Coordinates of all heavy atoms in Angstrom, one line a residue:
M1 N 44.0 130.5 238.4 CA 45.5 130.7 238.1 C 46.2 130.9 239.5 O 45.8 131.7 240.3 CB 45.7 131.9 237.2 CG 47.1 132.3 237.0 SD 47.3 133.7 236.0 CE 47.0 133.1 234.4
P2 N 47.3 130.1 239.7 CA 48.0 130.3 241.0 C 48.6 131.7 241.1 O 49.0 132.3 240.1 CB 49.1 129.2 240.9 CG 48.8 128.4 239.7 CD 47.8 129.1 238.9
R3 N 48.6 132.2 242.3 CA 49.2 133.5 242.5 C 50.7 133.4 242.6 O 51.2 132.4 243.2 CB 48.6 134.0 243.8 CG 49.0 135.5 244.0 CD 48.1 136.1 245.0 NE 48.7 137.4 245.3 CZ 48.4 138.2 246.2 NH1 47.5 137.8 247.1 NH2 49.0 139.4 246.3
D4 N 51.4 134.3 242.1 CA 52.9 134.4 242.2 C 53.3 134.6 243.6 O 52.9 135.6 244.2 CB 53.4 135.5 241.2 CG 54.9 135.5 241.1 OD1 55.6 134.8 241.8 OD2 55.3 136.3 240.3
R5 N 54.1 133.7 244.1 CA 54.6 133.8 245.5 C 55.5 135.0 245.7 O 55.6 135.5 246.8 CB 55.3 132.5 245.9 CG 54.4 131.3 246.0 CD 55.2 130.1 246.5 NE 54.4 128.9 246.3 CZ 54.9 127.8 245.7 NH1 56.1 127.7 245.4 NH2 54.1 126.8 245.6
R6 N 56.1 135.4 244.7 CA 57.0 136.6 244.8 C 56.3 137.9 245.1 O 56.9 138.9 245.5 CB 57.8 136.7 243.5 CG 58.8 135.6 243.3 CD 59.4 135.7 242.0 NE 58.4 135.4 241.0 CZ 58.6 135.4 239.7 NH1 59.7 135.7 239.2 NH2 57.6 135.1 238.8
S7 N 55.0 137.9 244.9 CA 54.2 139.2 245.0 C 53.5 139.2 246.3 O 52.5 140.0 246.4 CB 53.3 139.3 243.9 OG 52.3 138.3 243.8
K8 N 53.9 138.5 247.4 CA 53.2 138.5 248.6 C 53.0 139.9 249.3 O 52.0 140.2 249.9 CB 53.9 137.5 249.6 CG 53.6 136.1 249.4 CD 54.3 135.2 250.4 CE 54.0 133.8 250.1 NZ 54.7 132.9 251.1
D9 N 54.1 140.7 249.1 CA 54.0 142.0 249.8 C 53.3 143.0 249.0 O 53.1 144.2 249.5 CB 55.5 142.5 250.1 CG 56.3 142.6 248.8 OD1 56.0 141.9 247.8 OD2 57.3 143.3 248.8
K10 N 52.8 142.7 247.8 CA 52.1 143.7 247.0 C 50.6 143.6 247.3 O 50.0 142.5 247.5 CB 52.3 143.4 245.5 CG 53.7 143.6 245.1 CD 53.8 143.4 243.6 CE 55.2 143.6 243.1 NZ 55.3 143.4 241.7
D11 N 49.9 144.8 247.4 CA 48.5 144.8 247.5 C 47.9 144.6 246.1 O 48.6 144.7 245.1 CB 48.0 146.0 248.2 CG 48.3 147.3 247.4 OD1 49.0 147.2 246.4 OD2 47.9 148.4 247.9
A12 N 46.6 144.4 246.0 CA 45.9 144.2 244.8 C 46.1 145.3 243.8 O 46.3 145.1 242.6 CB 44.4 143.9 245.0
E13 N 46.0 146.5 244.2 CA 46.2 147.7 243.3 C 47.5 147.7 242.7 O 47.7 147.9 241.5 CB 45.9 149.0 244.1 CG 45.3 150.1 243.4 CD 44.1 149.8 242.5 OE1 43.2 149.2 243.0 OE2 44.1 150.3 241.4
T14 N 48.6 147.5 243.5 CA 49.9 147.5 243.0 C 50.1 146.3 242.0 O 50.7 146.5 240.9 CB 51.0 147.3 244.1 OG1 50.7 148.4 245.0 CG2 52.4 147.4 243.6
F15 N 49.6 145.2 242.3 CA 49.6 144.0 241.4 C 49.0 144.4 240.1 O 49.6 144.0 239.0 CB 48.9 142.8 242.1 CG 49.0 141.6 241.2 CD1 50.1 140.8 241.2 CD2 47.9 141.2 240.5 CE1 50.2 139.7 240.4 CE2 47.9 140.0 239.8 CZ 49.1 139.3 239.7
I16 N 47.8 145.0 240.0 CA 47.2 145.3 238.8 C 48.0 146.4 238.0 O 48.1 146.2 236.8 CB 45.7 145.9 239.1 CG1 44.9 144.7 239.6 CG2 45.1 146.5 237.9 CD1 43.6 145.2 240.2
E17 N 48.5 147.4 238.7 CA 49.3 148.4 238.0 C 50.6 147.8 237.4 O 51.0 148.3 236.4 CB 49.7 149.5 239.0 CG 48.5 150.4 239.4 CD 48.9 151.3 240.5 OE1 50.0 151.4 240.9 OE2 47.9 152.0 241.0
D18 N 51.1 146.8 238.0 CA 52.3 146.2 237.4 C 52.1 145.3 236.2 O 53.0 144.8 235.6 CB 53.1 145.4 238.5 CG 53.7 146.2 239.6 OD1 53.8 147.4 239.3 OD2 54.1 145.7 240.6
G19 N 50.8 145.0 236.0 CA 50.5 144.1 234.9 C 50.9 144.5 233.5 O 51.2 145.7 233.3
G20 N 50.9 143.6 232.6 CA 51.2 143.9 231.2 C 50.1 144.6 230.4 O 49.0 144.9 231.0
S21 N 50.3 144.7 229.1 CA 49.2 145.3 228.3 C 48.3 144.2 227.8 O 48.6 143.1 227.8 CB 49.8 146.0 227.1 OG 50.6 145.1 226.3
A22 N 47.1 144.6 227.5 CA 46.1 143.7 227.0 C 46.4 143.3 225.6 O 47.1 144.1 224.9 CB 44.7 144.3 227.1
P23 N 45.9 142.2 225.1 CA 46.2 141.8 223.7 C 45.7 142.9 222.8 O 44.6 143.5 222.9 CB 45.3 140.6 223.5 CG 45.1 140.0 224.9 CD 45.1 141.2 225.8
G24 N 46.5 143.2 221.7 CA 46.1 144.3 220.8 C 46.6 145.7 221.2 O 46.4 146.6 220.4
E25 N 47.2 145.8 222.3 CA 47.6 147.1 222.8 C 49.1 147.3 222.5 O 49.7 148.3 223.0 CB 47.4 147.3 224.3 CG 45.9 147.5 224.6 CD 45.7 147.8 226.1 OE1 46.7 147.8 226.8 OE2 44.6 148.0 226.5
A26 N 49.7 146.5 221.8 CA 51.2 146.6 221.5 C 51.5 147.9 220.8 O 50.7 148.3 219.9 CB 51.7 145.4 220.7
E27 N 52.5 148.5 221.2 CA 52.9 149.8 220.5 C 53.4 149.5 219.1 O 54.1 148.5 218.9 CB 54.0 150.5 221.4 CG 53.5 151.0 222.7 CD 54.6 151.7 223.4 OE1 55.5 152.2 222.8 OE2 54.5 151.8 224.7
E28 N 53.1 150.3 218.2 CA 53.5 150.2 216.8 C 53.2 148.9 216.2 O 54.0 148.3 215.5 CB 55.0 150.5 216.7 CG 55.4 151.9 217.2 CD 56.9 152.1 217.1 OE1 57.6 151.5 216.3 OE2 57.4 153.0 217.8
A29 N 52.1 148.3 216.6 CA 51.7 147.0 216.0 C 51.4 147.1 214.5 O 50.8 148.1 214.1 CB 50.5 146.5 216.7
E30 N 51.9 146.2 213.8 CA 51.7 146.2 212.3 C 50.4 145.7 212.0 O 49.9 144.7 212.6 CB 52.8 145.3 211.7 CG 52.8 145.4 210.2 CD 53.9 144.6 209.5 OE1 54.9 144.3 210.3 OE2 53.9 144.4 208.3
E31 N 49.7 146.4 211.1 CA 48.3 146.0 210.7 C 48.5 144.7 209.9 O 49.4 144.5 209.1 CB 47.7 147.0 209.8 CG 46.3 146.7 209.4 CD 45.6 147.8 208.6 OE1 46.3 148.8 208.4 OE2 44.5 147.5 208.1
I32 N 47.6 143.7 210.1 CA 47.6 142.5 209.4 C 46.4 142.5 208.5 O 45.3 142.8 208.8 CB 47.4 141.3 210.4 CG1 48.5 141.3 211.4 CG2 47.3 140.0 209.7 CD1 49.9 141.0 210.9
K33 N 46.7 142.1 207.2 CA 45.7 142.0 206.2 C 45.5 140.5 205.9 O 46.4 139.7 205.8 CB 46.1 142.6 204.9 CG 46.3 144.1 205.0 CD 44.9 144.8 205.0 CE 45.2 146.3 204.9 NZ 43.9 147.0 204.8
T34 N 44.2 140.0 205.9 CA 43.9 138.7 205.6 C 43.3 138.5 204.3 O 42.4 139.3 203.9 CB 43.0 138.1 206.7 OG1 43.5 138.3 208.0 CG2 42.7 136.7 206.5
F35 N 43.7 137.5 203.5 CA 43.1 137.2 202.2 C 43.2 135.8 201.9 O 44.0 135.1 202.5 CB 43.7 138.1 201.1 CG 45.1 137.8 200.9 CD1 45.5 136.9 199.9 CD2 46.1 138.5 201.6 CE1 46.9 136.7 199.7 CE2 47.4 138.2 201.4 CZ 47.8 137.3 200.5
S36 N 42.3 135.3 201.0 CA 42.4 133.9 200.6 C 43.0 133.8 199.3 O 42.9 134.7 198.5 CB 41.1 133.2 200.6 OG 40.0 133.8 201.0
T37 N 43.7 132.7 199.0 CA 44.3 132.5 197.7 C 44.2 131.0 197.4 O 43.9 130.2 198.3 CB 45.7 133.0 197.7 OG1 46.2 132.9 196.4 CG2 46.6 132.2 198.7
R38 N 44.4 130.7 196.1 CA 44.3 129.3 195.7 C 45.7 128.9 195.2 O 46.3 129.6 194.4 CB 43.3 129.1 194.7 CG 41.9 129.3 195.2 CD 40.8 129.1 194.1 NE 41.1 130.0 193.0 CZ 40.2 130.9 192.5 NH1 39.0 130.9 193.0 NH2 40.5 131.7 191.5
F39 N 46.1 127.7 195.6 CA 47.4 127.1 195.1 C 47.1 125.7 194.5 O 46.3 125.0 195.1 CB 48.4 127.0 196.3 CG 49.0 128.3 196.8 CD1 48.4 129.0 197.8 CD2 50.2 128.7 196.2 CE1 48.9 130.2 198.2 CE2 50.7 129.9 196.7 CZ 50.1 130.6 197.7
P40 N 47.8 125.4 193.5 CA 47.7 124.0 193.0 C 48.1 123.0 194.1 O 49.1 123.3 194.9 CB 48.7 123.9 191.8 CG 48.9 125.3 191.4 CD 48.7 126.1 192.7
K41 N 47.5 121.9 194.2 CA 47.8 120.9 195.2 C 49.2 120.5 195.2 O 49.9 120.3 196.2 CB 46.9 119.7 195.1 CG 47.1 118.6 196.2 CD 46.2 117.4 196.1 CE 46.4 116.4 197.1 NZ 47.7 116.2 197.7
K42 N 49.8 120.3 194.0 CA 51.2 119.9 193.9 C 52.1 120.9 194.5 O 53.1 120.5 195.2 CB 51.6 119.7 192.4 CG 51.0 118.4 191.8 CD 51.5 118.3 190.4 CE 51.0 117.1 189.7 NZ 51.4 116.9 188.3
L43 N 51.8 122.2 194.4 CA 52.6 123.2 195.0 C 52.5 123.2 196.5 O 53.5 123.3 197.2 CB 52.3 124.6 194.4 CG 53.0 125.8 195.0 CD1 54.6 125.6 194.7 CD2 52.6 127.1 194.3
V44 N 51.3 123.0 197.0 CA 51.1 123.0 198.4 C 51.8 121.8 199.0 O 52.4 121.8 200.1 CB 49.6 122.9 198.8 CG1 49.3 122.7 200.3 CG2 48.9 124.2 198.3
D45 N 51.7 120.6 198.3 CA 52.4 119.4 198.8 C 53.9 119.7 198.9 O 54.6 119.3 199.8 CB 52.2 118.3 197.9 CG 50.7 117.8 198.0 OD1 50.0 118.1 198.9 OD2 50.3 117.0 197.0
R46 N 54.5 120.4 197.9 CA 56.0 120.7 197.9 C 56.3 121.7 199.1 O 57.3 121.5 199.8 CB 56.4 121.3 196.6 CG 56.4 120.3 195.5 CD 56.8 120.9 194.2 NE 58.2 121.5 194.3 CZ 58.7 122.2 193.3 NH1 58.0 122.5 192.2 NH2 60.0 122.7 193.4
I47 N 55.4 122.6 199.3 CA 55.6 123.6 200.4 C 55.6 122.8 201.8 O 56.4 123.0 202.6 CB 54.6 124.7 200.4 CG1 54.8 125.6 199.2 CG2 54.6 125.5 201.7 CD1 53.7 126.6 198.9
D48 N 54.6 122.0 201.9 CA 54.4 121.2 203.1 C 55.6 120.3 203.4 O 56.1 120.1 204.5 CB 53.1 120.4 203.1 CG 51.9 121.3 203.3 OD1 52.1 122.5 203.7 OD2 50.8 120.8 203.0
K49 N 56.1 119.7 202.3 CA 57.3 118.8 202.4 C 58.5 119.6 202.9 O 59.3 119.2 203.8 CB 57.6 118.1 201.1 CG 58.8 117.1 201.3 CD 59.0 116.3 200.0 CE 60.2 115.4 200.1 NZ 61.2 115.5 201.2
S50 N 58.7 120.8 202.3 CA 59.8 121.7 202.8 C 59.7 122.0 204.2 O 60.6 122.0 205.0 CB 59.8 122.9 201.9 OG 60.7 123.8 202.4
I51 N 58.5 122.3 204.7 CA 58.2 122.6 206.1 C 58.5 121.4 207.0 O 59.1 121.5 208.0 CB 56.8 123.2 206.3 CG1 56.6 124.5 205.6 CG2 56.4 123.2 207.8 CD1 55.2 125.0 205.5
D52 N 58.0 120.3 206.5 CA 58.2 119.0 207.3 C 59.6 118.6 207.5 O 60.0 118.0 208.5 CB 57.4 117.9 206.7 CG 55.9 118.1 206.9 OD1 55.5 118.9 207.7 OD2 55.1 117.4 206.1
D53 N 60.5 119.0 206.5 CA 61.9 118.6 206.5 C 62.7 119.5 207.4 O 63.9 119.2 207.7 CB 62.5 118.7 205.1 CG 61.9 117.6 204.2 OD1 61.3 116.6 204.7 OD2 62.0 117.7 202.9
K54 N 62.1 120.6 207.9 CA 62.9 121.5 208.8 C 63.0 121.0 210.2 O 62.0 120.3 210.7 CB 62.3 122.9 208.8 CG 62.4 123.5 207.4 CD 61.9 124.9 207.5 CE 61.9 125.5 206.1 NZ 62.8 126.5 205.8
I55 N 64.0 121.3 210.9 CA 64.2 120.9 212.3 C 63.3 121.7 213.2 O 62.7 121.3 214.1 CB 65.7 121.0 212.7 CG1 66.5 120.0 212.0 CG2 65.8 120.8 214.2 CD1 68.0 120.2 212.2
V56 N 63.2 123.0 212.9 CA 62.4 124.0 213.7 C 61.0 124.1 213.0 O 60.9 124.3 211.8 CB 63.1 125.4 213.8 CG1 62.2 126.3 214.5 CG2 64.4 125.2 214.4
N57 N 60.0 124.0 213.8 CA 58.6 124.1 213.3 C 58.3 125.4 212.7 O 58.7 126.5 213.2 CB 57.6 123.8 214.4 CG 57.6 122.3 214.8 OD1 58.0 121.5 214.1 ND2 57.1 122.1 216.0
E58 N 57.6 125.4 211.6 CA 57.2 126.7 210.9 C 55.9 126.4 210.3 O 55.7 125.3 209.7 CB 58.3 127.0 209.8 CG 58.1 128.2 209.1 CD 59.2 128.5 208.1 OE1 59.6 127.6 207.3 OE2 59.7 129.6 208.2
S59 N 55.0 127.4 210.4 CA 53.7 127.2 209.8 C 53.8 127.5 208.3 O 54.7 128.1 207.8 CB 52.7 128.1 210.4 OG 52.9 129.4 210.1
R60 N 52.7 127.0 207.6 CA 52.7 127.3 206.1 C 52.6 128.8 205.9 O 53.2 129.3 205.0 CB 51.5 126.6 205.5 CG 51.4 126.7 204.0 CD 50.2 126.1 203.4 NE 50.1 124.6 203.7 CZ 49.0 124.0 203.8 NH1 47.8 124.6 203.8 NH2 49.0 122.7 204.1
N61 N 51.8 129.5 206.8 CA 51.7 130.9 206.7 C 53.1 131.6 206.8 O 53.4 132.5 206.0 CB 50.7 131.4 207.7 CG 50.5 132.9 207.6 OD1 49.9 133.4 206.6 ND2 50.9 133.7 208.6
Q62 N 53.8 131.2 207.8 CA 55.2 131.8 208.0 C 56.1 131.5 206.8 O 56.8 132.4 206.4 CB 55.8 131.2 209.3 CG 55.2 131.6 210.6 CD 55.7 130.8 211.8 OE1 55.9 129.6 211.7 NE2 55.8 131.5 212.9
W63 N 56.0 130.3 206.3 CA 56.8 129.9 205.1 C 56.5 130.8 203.9 O 57.3 131.3 203.2 CB 56.6 128.4 204.8 CG 57.5 127.9 203.8 CD1 58.7 127.2 204.1 CD2 57.4 128.0 202.4 NE1 59.3 126.9 202.9 CE2 58.6 127.3 201.8 CE3 56.5 128.5 201.5 CZ2 58.8 127.2 200.5 CZ3 56.7 128.4 200.1 CH2 57.9 127.8 199.6
L64 N 55.2 131.0 203.7 CA 54.7 131.8 202.6 C 55.2 133.3 202.7 O 55.6 134.0 201.8 CB 53.2 131.7 202.4 CG 52.7 130.4 201.9 CD1 51.2 130.3 202.0 CD2 53.1 130.1 200.5
I65 N 55.1 133.8 204.0 CA 55.5 135.2 204.2 C 57.0 135.3 203.9 O 57.5 136.3 203.3 CB 55.2 135.6 205.6 CG1 53.7 135.8 205.8 CG2 55.9 136.9 206.0 CD1 53.2 136.0 207.2
K66 N 57.8 134.4 204.4 CA 59.3 134.4 204.2 C 59.6 134.3 202.7 O 60.4 135.0 202.2 CB 60.0 133.2 204.9 CG 60.2 133.5 206.3 CD 60.8 132.3 207.1 CE 61.9 131.6 206.4 NZ 62.5 130.5 207.1
A67 N 58.8 133.5 202.0 CA 59.0 133.3 200.5 C 58.7 134.7 199.8 O 59.4 135.1 198.9 CB 58.2 132.2 200.0
A68 N 57.6 135.3 200.2 CA 57.3 136.6 199.6 C 58.3 137.7 199.9 O 58.7 138.4 199.0 CB 55.9 137.1 200.1
V69 N 58.8 137.7 201.1 CA 59.9 138.7 201.5 C 61.1 138.4 200.6 O 61.7 139.4 200.1 CB 60.2 138.6 203.0 CG1 61.4 139.4 203.3 CG2 59.0 139.2 203.8
E70 N 61.5 137.2 200.5 CA 62.7 136.8 199.7 C 62.6 137.3 198.3 O 63.5 137.8 197.7 CB 63.0 135.3 199.8 CG 63.5 134.9 201.2 CD 63.7 133.4 201.3 OE1 63.6 132.7 200.3 OE2 63.8 132.9 202.5
K71 N 61.4 137.0 197.7 CA 61.2 137.4 196.3 C 61.2 138.9 196.2 O 61.8 139.4 195.2 CB 59.8 136.8 195.9 CG 59.2 137.3 194.6 CD 60.0 136.7 193.5 CE 59.2 137.0 192.1 NZ 60.0 136.8 191.0
L72 N 60.6 139.6 197.1 CA 60.6 141.1 197.0 C 62.0 141.7 197.1 O 62.4 142.6 196.4 CB 59.7 141.7 198.0 CG 58.2 141.5 197.8 CD1 57.4 141.9 199.0 CD2 57.7 142.2 196.6
E73 N 62.8 141.1 198.0 CA 64.2 141.6 198.2 C 65.0 141.3 197.0 O 65.9 142.1 196.6 CB 64.8 140.9 199.5 CG 64.2 141.5 200.8 CD 64.7 140.8 202.0 OE1 65.3 139.7 201.9 OE2 64.5 141.3 203.1
R74 N 64.8 140.2 196.3 CA 65.5 139.9 195.1 C 65.2 140.9 194.0 O 66.0 141.3 193.2 CB 65.3 138.5 194.6 CG 66.0 137.4 195.3 CD 66.0 136.1 194.6 NE 64.7 135.6 194.2 CZ 63.9 134.8 194.9 NH1 64.3 134.4 196.1 NH2 62.7 134.5 194.5
E75 N 63.9 141.3 193.9 CA 63.5 142.2 192.9 C 63.9 143.7 193.1 O 63.9 144.5 192.2 CB 62.0 142.2 192.8 CG 61.5 140.9 192.2 CD 60.0 140.9 191.9 OE1 59.3 141.8 192.3 OE2 59.5 139.9 191.4
E76 N 64.3 144.0 194.4 CA 64.7 145.4 194.7 C 66.1 145.7 194.3 O 66.9 144.9 194.2 CB 64.5 145.7 196.2 CG 63.0 145.7 196.6 CD 62.9 145.9 198.1 OE1 63.8 145.8 198.8 OE2 61.7 146.1 198.5

């Protein structure tokens, strides 16, 4: 990895101290639960078409999370 030219005056110790956090060390990180589910192919095809029709890319997982949030908000 190329070294950042802006850090020429920093020694190695200072450079390390200025670094970010390691993956998984984010403060107040939300726990993620993983599970499998089954959907009828016709429904998945409709979801995928909806995703493909968008200008901004969105994964199927993101689409499903948004759909679940919208449903829960309507029910509250």
Side-chain angles (χ1 to χ4, degrees):
M1 173 183 283
R3 189 165 173 190
D4 186 351
R5 291 185 193 131
R6 294 172 289 177
S7 64
K8 283 183 179 178
D9 58 335
K10 294 183 179 180
D11 63 356
E13 208 53 45
T14 305
F15 181 78
I16 292 169
E17 289 171 8
D18 288 347
S21 60
E25 288 184 1
E27 292 181 25
E28 300 179 23
E30 186 174 347
E31 182 179 358
I32 302 293
K33 298 282 187 176
T34 304
F35 62 94
S36 354
T37 187
R38 295 181 298 236
F39 287 88
K41 183 180 181 326
K42 286 182 181 181
L43 180 57
V44 173
D45 291 344
R46 288 179 62 189
I47 292 168
D48 289 346
K49 182 175 180 345
S50 173
I51 292 168
D52 291 342
D53 291 345
K54 294 185 187 247
I55 294 172
V56 177
N57 289 339
E58 181 176 52
S59 70
R60 188 184 296 149
N61 185 64
Q62 291 168 323
W63 191 96
L64 291 168
I65 289 171
K66 280 178 39 180
V69 168
E70 289 174 13
K71 171 73 172 166
L72 290 169
E73 288 175 348
R74 281 195 310 267
E75 289 184 356
E76 292 176 349

